[in-house]
Amino acid sequence: MNLLYSDVEDGLRAAVRAALADRSPHPAVLARIEGAQPYDPALWRLLAAELGVAGLLVPERLGGQGASAREAAVVLEELGRAVAPTPFLGSAVLAVSALLCCDTADPAVAGLLGRLASGRAAGALTVPLAAVPGSAFPGSVRAEGNDTAGWRLAGRVTTVADALGADVLVVAALGPDGPALFEVAAADADVAAFSSLDLTRPLSDVALAAAPARRLPAADPAAALDGALLTGAGLLASEQVGVAQWCLDETVRHLGQRHQFGRVLGSFQALKHRLADVWLDVLSARAAARAAADALARDPAAASADTAVAVAVAASYASEAAVRAAEEAVQLHGGIGMTWEHPAHLYLKRAKADAIALGTPGRHRARLAELVDLPAPA
């Protein structure tokens, strides 16, 4: 296991950070969340097509970059650090991970992966954002038909991430043969905005009424969906690290400039102790997130128990670390931290929303106990 960043990862981080600083500063993010579009298409084209982040997890033979979860984790750190509204998690992580567990030799699967990897299309995995790895296959969508005559899907899925603005949906549905994954054009679904706490990651409800669909060939669709959720949960920990790191950096900067009673605020011992606790949280969360990303890089299908353990540890720890860092940032900024114009509230909302996305810390700790055969207290 290697927790250090490679030169390639550092270079990718620098490129993504520079792009976000130029195209998605905080005033632009605030303006974006008050607008009608879920994200800035020009920013996504820059990240997806020019920097190639949309295809990091896709093999080169399928039109992607052939990178690994480690590089995707670095991108998520930067997206969290900038609270940037992009469909990276829904399209480049969740949808792509599910597709990679299908038969990639199939022309339909390969073609869809190529479109997502190039940024010519954005996708979304149609499951509730709160879906937990290891849970039962969802049954809210039903499929009727067959591969010859075609398939029709009917049902409703709530709180889906990045479906607004998506071109294609990867839908988990129960068919006559059991669980299956389907490709549905977003234009054939009713995608309605859902009022979410985190306005930088819009959620939506997806309704399907006899929507035409194509079944995606997968040896084990339930395992494919679970692998995608596990990959998403493990990489989301890196986004939470990015959120926490910005909160710590910005709070240290603020307390180093503000004065009270003739002293720099940061010189008060009580505040130093609070920031030291946040620093330890961020440091520990980064180690856990890097371990999860490294495990996912070595096990792209997220099939081994060791990977599941690493993800459960990272998801449970990084969630709480990000929330604590964001809460401390808002409090230690004083009155200015409570204003709409200051971006601290964006980080608190992202941290709170991420804490229930793809499993709460409590659910991941319970799953960890099962994985390591630790009996629950009587």
Side-chain angles (χ1 to χ4, degrees):
M1 180 183 299
N2 181 7
L3 303 186
L4 301 178
Y5 297 100
S6 68
D7 291 342
V8 171
E9 290 163 0
D10 285 337
L12 177 62
R13 177 194 304 282
V16 174
R17 183 175 295 187
L20 293 174
D22 181 49
R23 304 294 289 272
S24 188
H26 290 135
V29 175
L30 284 166
R32 174 66 49 192
I33 64 176
E34 294 178 318
Q37 288 184 313
Y39 58 87
D40 181 358
L43 172 64
W44 180 236
R45 280 196 297 273
L46 171 65
L47 293 172
E50 297 184 28
L51 298 185
V53 304
L56 285 176
L57 297 178
V58 180
E60 289 182 279
R61 63 181 173 81
L62 296 171
Q65 305 302 316
S68 72
R70 289 178 59 98
E71 288 78 13
V74 169
V75 173
L76 276 166
E77 277 187 40
E78 291 306 308
L79 294 176
R81 184 177 175 274
V83 284
T86 74
F88 184 81
L89 178 66
S91 183
V93 175
L94 291 174
V96 163
S97 296
L99 290 168
L100 288 174
C101 293
C102 297
D103 180 9
T104 57
D106 181 87
V109 176
L112 181 53
L113 279 169
R115 290 168 58 206
L116 296 180
S118 67
R120 286 181 284 124
L125 181 61
T126 310
V127 294
L129 186 57
V132 187
S135 56
F137 194 86
S140 63
V141 179
R142 295 280 174 174
E144 293 184 355
N146 55 60
D147 291 331
T148 303
W151 292 90
R152 296 279 176 174
L153 303 188
R156 180 182 177 87
V157 186
T158 59
T159 64
V160 179
D162 297 327
L164 282 172
D167 302 290
V168 62
L169 305 174
V170 178
V171 183
L174 289 176
D177 301 327
L181 296 177
F182 293 86
E183 174 190 352
V184 176
D188 292 326
D190 181 12
V191 182
F194 178 88
S195 297
S196 57
L197 173 66
D198 177 16
L199 298 176
T200 62
R201 176 170 287 142
L203 303 181
S204 56
D205 293 341
V206 177
L208 301 163
R214 183 206 309 266
R215 185 163 69 171
L216 298 167
D220 188 342
L225 178 64
D226 194 53
L229 294 177
L230 196 69
T231 300
L235 294 183
L236 187 66
S238 290
E239 178 181 286
Q240 292 163 326
V241 168
V243 169
Q245 186 68 63
W246 182 91
C247 292
L248 174 62
D249 294 344
E250 183 61 20
T251 307
V252 169
R253 187 196 65 78
H254 175 76
L255 294 183
Q257 294 179 343
R258 301 282 290 184
H259 289 72
Q260 196 169 51
F261 308 119
R263 292 176 56 183
V264 174
L265 273 175
S267 67
F268 288 95
Q269 194 71 7
L271 301 185
K272 289 181 179 178
H273 285 170
R274 290 173 66 170
L275 288 174
D277 289 341
V278 174
W279 180 79
L280 284 173
D281 282 347
V282 175
L283 202 66
S284 301
R286 186 182 300 279
R290 292 299 295 166
D294 190 69
L296 289 166
R298 288 182 282 107
D299 176 24
S304 80
D306 288 345
T307 302
V309 168
V311 169
V313 170
S316 60
Y317 195 89
S319 287
E320 295 181 343
V323 170
R324 281 195 296 269
E327 289 176 342
E328 288 287 54
V330 170
Q331 291 181 18
L332 294 177
H333 273 78
I336 193 175
M338 304 292 179
T339 63
W340 180 262
E341 290 75 15
H342 195 280
H345 69 92
L346 297 176
Y347 289 85
L348 180 59
K349 292 168 183 172
R350 175 66 71 92
K352 289 283 190 180
D354 278 0
I356 60 173
L358 301 171
T360 63
R363 291 291 299 271
H364 282 291
R365 280 194 286 270
R367 179 169 166 79
L368 177 62
E370 295 172 1
L371 290 167
V372 300
D373 197 21
L374 182 67

